[in-house]
Amino acid sequence: MTDVGGARALVTGAGSGIGRAVCLAFAGAGATVAALDVDADKARQTAQAVAEASGRPDSCIVAVADVADADALGAAVDAAAAGLGGLDIVCNNAGVGDLASLHRYSDQRWDRVVDVSMRGTFNGIRAAVPHLQAAGGGSIVNVASMSGHVPTRGEAPYSAAKAAVIALTRSAALEYGPSIRVNCVSPGIVETALTGPILTDDAARAALAARAPLHRLGTPEDVAAVVVFLCSPASSYVTGIDVPVDGGAQLVNAQIDDTLRGLLDLLEG
């Protein structure tokens, strides 16, 4: 039921991390993939990894564009669709972050985060929809973040952009059903280049993992598996939803949880 054999999929931000894992997962489930990234070398590395993992030399093609540049992205999506013979699936994954107190963000720093992480998702949907419609329908999955649900200190533009991605997902699902399903995933802390600055050593990893009920950090493959599910026949009656992929971390009330945990230990031994 989670097989996407024969599907033609495009993934943005495909050069590393979650994007690369999604490309590998799609190909592993039978799809042919276009790996799109602003960095051509990283996109080629992903395409090579997909070809080697799938055993199909033609399982992944390369596309290059900055998702914040609507014209460049549109041209790249058109070229990818031509190369694949159409599009059935699109995963808008590209995003960037930054870290500063809200009042210290310059216009340039704020705009770059929002332009890639939010506008880039809009640009991806806009470029892809005509191809999905031409194919008779398909599936779009946008990558949001738990930071779009619960604000994170120092990441105001990122949190705002990802909250907008969730809202944009719901709008698109409403507009493009029944032929196109649109959903999103909200990863928690996943070990990628984006989270590298806060995962500096084993102690930092362990402390963050302990705050989630599943007591581990996420992996790009955890997110990729949910993306494939949302594009597969197994989710054929699912649209307009946001799936947290965070090990249950959003369930924890950080203000009181440690105190109640200690009290339970005293009461129950």
Side-chain angles (χ1 to χ4, degrees):
M1 288 290 286
T2 56
D3 179 78
V4 291
R8 300 153 300 181
L10 180 140
V11 181
T12 71
S16 62
I18 291 171
R20 181 172 292 181
V22 170
C23 289
L24 287 163
F26 276 145
T32 304
V33 185
L36 187 149
D37 201 272
V38 68
D39 187 320
D41 288 338
K42 288 184 177 180
R44 283 191 285 268
Q45 291 166 10
T46 293
Q48 182 177 353
V50 170
E52 292 174 354
S54 67
R56 294 181 286 135
D58 59 350
S59 58
C60 188
I61 65 173
V62 172
V64 180
D66 182 347
V67 299
D69 184 332
D71 291 339
L73 181 61
V77 171
D78 289 347
L84 295 175
L87 281 179
D88 307 291
I89 293 170
V90 173
C91 176
N92 290 303
N93 165 71
V96 296
D98 204 342
L99 192 67
S101 296
L102 197 156
H103 73 286
R104 295 187 182 279
Y105 275 99
S106 65
D107 288 349
Q108 183 179 16
R109 289 175 70 185
W110 180 280
D111 288 348
R112 183 58 182 165
V113 174
V114 173
D115 283 351
V116 174
S117 300
M118 187 274 282
R119 185 179 295 276
T121 300
F122 164 65
N123 289 341
I125 294 171
R126 181 169 57 179
V129 162
H131 295 288
L132 297 179
Q133 290 175 330
S139 181
I140 297 172
V141 175
N142 302 317
V143 178
S145 170
M146 289 310 298
S147 295
H149 293 264
V150 181
T152 41
R153 191 181 303 273
E155 291 190 316
Y158 184 77
S159 293
K162 291 303 189 178
V165 167
I166 297 167
L168 184 63
T169 296
R170 293 170 178 156
S171 293
L174 180 64
E175 291 193 23
Y176 295 116
S179 62
I180 300 173
R181 296 187 300 107
V182 189
N183 295 290
C184 68
V185 295
S186 284
I189 298 177
V190 175
E191 297 203 55
T192 67
L194 195 64
T195 57
I198 63 171
L199 302 177
T200 53
D201 53 41
D202 290 342
R205 288 184 176 85
L208 288 168
R211 302 194 72 83
L214 294 187
H215 284 194
R216 69 176 179 87
L217 300 178
T219 67
E221 291 73 23
D222 289 326
V223 181
V226 179
V227 172
V228 172
F229 164 74
L230 290 172
C231 296
S232 73
S235 64
S236 63
Y237 199 54
V238 176
T239 195
I241 69 161
D242 171 53
V243 182
V245 188
D246 69 342
Q250 87 283 359
L251 302 173
V252 179
N253 182 332
Q255 186 176 34
I256 195 65
D257 188 63
D258 288 342
T259 298
L260 292 179
R261 183 183 302 175
L263 182 58
L264 279 172
D265 286 344
L266 287 174
L267 291 174
E268 298 177 356

